[in-house]
């Protein structure tokens, strides 16, 4: 019995360490969130897109938890974000067709189960690779947070914090 208990404790400890390591990858200063200085310089406007998604294997329950149980709606989040960007002096660009592309600030709220949520904000722009003339969309600024959620207010506050980080970087890079 002692051997089984020791093995169970070791397994439990290893699982806990794995969870801490994975959380650290997402939360503690991810490299992709560290934008070089002046990287947003010259950006004059963005299109805003809000997306609700769910993790793999949740069978629709996670998305329902976001939009149904918590009552999150993309319209109010998009309107609030666009207002904050305008107040800071950034132009809001119209939605584009598939044949053209404008810089887009994507706000993704991804549910993993009914309580864990990833809030991911990324500026997606059209980029040209040095190899030939291949043009592709690329994320040029990102920030995200993994959180345990009980209310829509918590998610909206996290979105506001991430939008503030984007605006602060944009203002600093453009000398405003």
């Amino acid at each position: 019995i002692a051997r089984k208990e020791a093995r169970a404790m070791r397994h439990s400890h290893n699982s806990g360490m794995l969870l801490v390591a994975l959380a650290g990858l997402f939360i503690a200063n991810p490299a992709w969130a560290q934008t070089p200085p002046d990287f947003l310089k010259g950006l004059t406007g963005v299109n805003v897109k809000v997306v609700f998604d769910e993790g793999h294997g949740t069978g629709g329950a996670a998305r329902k938890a976001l939009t149904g149980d918590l009552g999150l709606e993309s319209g109010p989040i998009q309107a609030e974000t666009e207002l904050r960007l305008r107040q800071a002096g950034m132009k809001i660009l119209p939605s584009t067709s598939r044949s053209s592309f404008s810089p887009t600030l994507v706000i993704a709220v991804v549910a993993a189960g009914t309580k864990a949520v990833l809030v991911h904000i990324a500026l997606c722009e059209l980029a040209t690779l040095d190899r030939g003339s291949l043009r592709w969309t690329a994320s040029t600024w990102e920030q995200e947070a993994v959180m345990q959620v009980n209310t829509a207010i918590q998610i909206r506050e996290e979105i506001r914090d991430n939008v503030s980080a984007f605006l602060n970087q944009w203002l600093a890079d453009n000398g405003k």
Side-chain angles (χ1 to χ4, degrees):
I1 295 176
R3 181 178 271 175
K4 285 184 181 179
E5 289 175 2
R7 189 177 11 213
M9 286 177 56
R10 189 169 46 248
H11 177 71
S12 173
H13 177 71
N14 289 343
S15 298
M17 293 300 289
L18 179 62
L19 286 174
V20 169
L22 287 173
L25 285 174
F26 288 108
I27 296 171
N29 281 332
W32 58 86
Q34 298 174 0
T35 305
D38 297 335
F39 202 70
L40 299 177
K41 188 171 188 160
L43 180 68
T44 58
V46 296
N47 175 22
V48 176
K49 182 173 182 159
V50 179
V51 179
F52 295 129
D53 203 357
E54 61 183 87
H56 298 290
T58 59
R63 185 179 174 101
K64 181 187 174 295
L66 287 175
T67 58
D69 298 344
L70 292 176
L72 281 177
E73 296 179 39
S74 60
I77 293 170
Q78 181 162 341
E80 179 183 342
T81 301
E82 289 177 354
L83 177 62
R84 291 188 64 211
L85 296 171
R86 272 192 209 94
Q87 288 173 336
M90 185 175 285
K91 293 178 189 172
I92 302 302
L93 304 174
S95 296
T96 58
S97 66
R98 288 189 176 266
S99 61
S100 63
F101 187 84
S102 60
T104 303
L105 189 65
V106 178
I107 300 170
V109 181
V110 182
T114 56
K115 295 293 181 186
V117 173
L118 169 71
V119 174
H120 182 92
I121 297 184
L123 176 64
C124 298
E125 298 183 87
L126 195 57
T128 303
L129 297 178
D130 286 339
R131 311 184 293 276
S133 60
L134 181 62
R135 294 176 59 92
W136 200 259
T137 56
S139 176
T140 57
W141 184 95
E142 294 184 62
Q143 184 158 319
E144 63 185 17
V146 177
M147 53 193 294
Q148 185 173 352
V149 176
N150 293 316
T151 67
I153 293 170
Q154 291 173 302
I155 296 171
R156 302 242 347 224
E157 285 176 3
E158 188 61 44
I159 292 170
R160 285 183 199 109
D161 290 346
N162 287 318
V163 170
S164 291
F166 172 76
L167 279 173
N168 289 337
Q169 180 78 46
W170 179 74
L171 290 168
D173 289 354
N174 288 286
K176 297 182 180 198

